[in-house]
Amino acid sequence: MRRSFPKSLLSPMVLLLVAACGGPDEAELAAEADAALAAAHADSVMLAESMYDPAVFDSISWESNQAALDRGEVVWAISCMKCHGVVGAGDAGAVVRGDTLRPPSFLAEGWRFAEDQEGLRRQVFTGTAEGMPHWGFYGLKYRDIDAVATYIREDLRGR
């Protein structure tokens, strides 16, 4: 009768063998994984940038500015507030790969999109290599991006 090796011990033994043979340690593996993830995220940002079409916003119309603000508030609550904070002060933070991201305050004097609606729309659509999601890939439609950009600039900054 042939005896088989218990499969439940196979993975731990392989790890021990790799460790004994001088394979990469956990910190090296984590650093490699982080680098690969950062490269993939940067690639996605570049792809989103190539897909972004500012002319689409020319075809968006709202029955009123208040309708855009109302929709923007909903999008803000679902997609943005968890990182940017309740009032856009950049104080909620999000933990990504063990690091707490601190987005900029929309309320700060000199905030770079204060007078740049198109730039803000682009930023929301494409995200950043520093960790902001590329919402154009995550399902926000151009209409939602227009609404949340309007809400940020006209409501949050106007408080």
Side-chain angles (χ1 to χ4, degrees):
M1 173 187 264
R2 186 171 175 214
R3 300 188 127 217
S4 64
F5 192 77
K7 290 182 181 178
S8 62
L9 294 178
L10 189 57
S11 292
M13 290 193 67
V14 168
L15 290 174
L16 285 173
L17 284 172
V18 168
C21 294
D25 67 12
E26 191 173 316
E28 289 172 341
L29 292 173
E32 288 175 14
D34 282 349
L37 188 58
H41 188 79
D43 185 58
S44 294
V45 170
M46 286 190 314
L47 182 58
E49 182 67 37
S50 72
M51 294 172 58
Y52 179 76
D53 182 3
V56 172
F57 292 103
D58 295 340
S59 65
I60 295 173
S61 65
W62 297 95
E63 65 184 53
S64 67
N65 193 53
Q66 188 60 50
L69 290 170
D70 291 346
R71 178 63 185 168
E73 184 175 20
V74 170
V75 174
W76 171 264
I78 293 169
S79 301
C80 310
M81 190 168 39
K82 62 186 161 237
C83 293
H84 291 279
V86 175
V87 297
D91 56 355
V95 177
V96 176
R97 296 185 311 268
D99 294 329
T100 302
L101 301 179
R102 296 286 180 209
S105 172
F106 301 145
L107 310 178
E109 189 174 322
W111 176 59
R112 70 180 178 153
F113 298 114
E115 303 298 324
D116 185 4
Q117 180 82 349
E118 196 282 319
L120 180 55
R121 291 175 183 147
R122 179 182 297 270
Q123 183 87 0
V124 173
F125 187 94
T126 63
T128 68
E130 292 77 33
M132 181 170 164
H134 23 272
W135 288 107
F137 282 171
Y138 287 126
L140 283 186
K141 306 295 185 222
Y142 280 96
R143 186 172 179 81
D144 288 338
I145 292 170
D146 183 63
V148 78
T150 299
Y151 177 75
I152 291 167
R153 291 185 63 246
E154 294 182 19
D155 193 297
L156 292 179
R157 284 192 53 87
R159 291 181 184 184

